[in-house]
Amino acid sequence: MAALYLIATIAKGDTVKLLAVNGSPRKTMNTGLLLEKIVDGAASKGATAECVHLRDLTFKGCMSCFHCKDSKGKHYGKCAVQDGLTPVLQKAHEADVLVLGSPFYFSMETALMRACMERLWFQYYLYTTKKPPMSPRKKATALVYTMNVREADMVAYGKDVIVARSKGLMERFFAPCEVFLCCDTKQVKDYSKYEFDVFDVPSKLKRHDEIFPKELERAFDFGVNLVI
Ligand SMILES: Cc1cc2nc3c(=O)[nH]c(=O)nc-3n(C[C@H](O)[C@H](O)[C@H](O)COP(=O)(O)O)c2cc1C
């Protein structure tokens, strides 16, 4: 019974709310552009959709204060830390569809995204098997990753493990989680300014010109499918 009231129901005619969170410090590069397309796709189907950029916010990761675990306290099931992430956690709580996007930094999500994930997930986590987590069930969730390496090289760099772990946590807390991968991205606008011999730069630029526009279209469709 306890779990039942946690299941968010979207009544017929209600507007679906999608929140996208950008963990890249760059708002308008690969991850940010893909998330904006996902938002546009969702909005095209009548959803209320927005993207927040973590780089604009001043916040910390989980402080391990344990107020969210104190069943007699006022912060039970809610992160008690009050900072720039607090409104984002509230929006994430209320969203029907939650999308987290991050570049890979040394084969993990960025520090910005990791700090957000810690606070998002830990507030709901319970150290008991007798109750479900305190998270609201959602219509759908998604993880969006961008990276320098090609998709075929993800396993060699252990990125598949990170994706599977974060996907598993999103599903444990919220809802089935779709994964959107965008590989072999154009990392900088002008490669000639830097030493970049570990990559085949002409091939990267070609890919960016020919494939990335298709990735943006794929992101739009992905956003549509998350809300219908
Ligand atoms: C600090 C740092 C670490 C990175 N580490 C990786 C990595 O481990 N694997 C990878 O494929 N790309 C790595 N990259 C490249 C980015 O993941 C890639 O360029 C991404 O698309 C950037 O996203 P953005 O354009 O949205 O900022 C790294 C970039 C930076 C700045």
Side-chain angles (χ1 to χ4, degrees):
M1 217 31 204
L4 273 181
Y5 87 101
L6 289 171
I7 298 173
T9 51
I10 305 167
K12 211 167 187 263
D14 275 4
T15 306
V16 175
K17 279 189 242 145
L18 178 144
L19 177 70
V21 182
N22 182 13
S24 170
R26 307 192 296 182
K27 288 161 76 165
T28 55
M29 293 293 278
N30 299 284
T31 318
L33 291 176
L34 291 164
L35 291 175
E36 289 297 347
K37 283 291 171 192
I38 289 172
V39 162
D40 289 349
S44 77
K45 290 291 165 195
T48 305
E50 69 166 316
C51 179
V52 295
H53 301 277
L54 293 178
R55 69 152 286 166
D56 288 342
L57 312 173
T58 303
F59 68 100
K60 292 191 161 96
C62 177
M63 304 304 286
S64 198
C65 64
F66 266 71
H67 290 309
C68 63
K69 309 281 168 270
D70 177 358
S71 60
K72 295 184 185 64
K74 65 176 182 178
H75 293 295
Y76 190 46
K78 285 261 171 211
C79 182
V81 177
Q82 300 297 306
D83 63 14
L85 194 68
T86 306
V88 178
L89 294 179
Q90 185 57 35
K91 282 182 185 181
H93 187 81
E94 290 163 7
D96 305 301
V97 179
L98 180 59
V99 182
L100 304 182
S102 178
F104 268 113
Y105 276 12
F106 295 102
S107 292
M108 299 193 69
E109 292 95 358
T110 61
L112 282 169
M113 181 51 75
R114 285 298 308 167
C116 172
M117 285 169 157
E118 285 173 9
R119 299 260 303 274
L120 174 71
W121 292 333
F122 194 65
Q123 62 183 343
Y124 300 131
Y125 180 76
L126 286 174
Y127 287 93
T128 173
T129 52
K130 297 191 179 79
K131 293 184 193 169
M134 292 185 279
S135 42
R137 296 301 294 173
K138 297 196 180 295
K139 175 176 166 51
T141 67
L143 290 167
V144 175
Y145 290 98
T146 71
M147 68 206 83
N148 251 334
V149 298
R150 290 168 302 159
E151 192 160 353
D153 296 325
M154 282 186 70
V155 172
Y157 289 98
K159 290 175 166 59
D160 58 324
V161 176
I162 303 298
V163 172
R165 188 198 56 204
S166 294
K167 175 177 157 64
L169 285 160
M170 290 297 270
E171 293 187 334
R172 175 168 172 179
F173 288 113
F174 303 116
C177 179
E178 302 294 327
V179 174
F180 186 107
L181 302 173
C182 179
C183 301
D184 201 5
T185 54
K186 178 177 167 185
Q187 188 168 6
V188 291
K189 289 193 170 134
D190 182 0
Y191 279 88
S192 70
K193 285 166 74 177
Y194 315 101
E195 296 155 304
F196 252 106
D197 50 69
V198 295
F199 296 112
D200 178 354
V201 171
S203 128
K204 252 192 187 299
L205 295 177
K206 186 167 181 288
R207 189 182 189 285
H208 182 78
D209 288 345
E210 292 173 5
I211 309 290
F212 193 65
K214 294 193 176 77
E215 299 283 65
L216 293 175
E217 286 172 21
R218 187 164 68 89
F220 184 95
D221 294 341
F222 189 81
V224 167
N225 286 321
L226 284 172
V227 298
I228 57 175

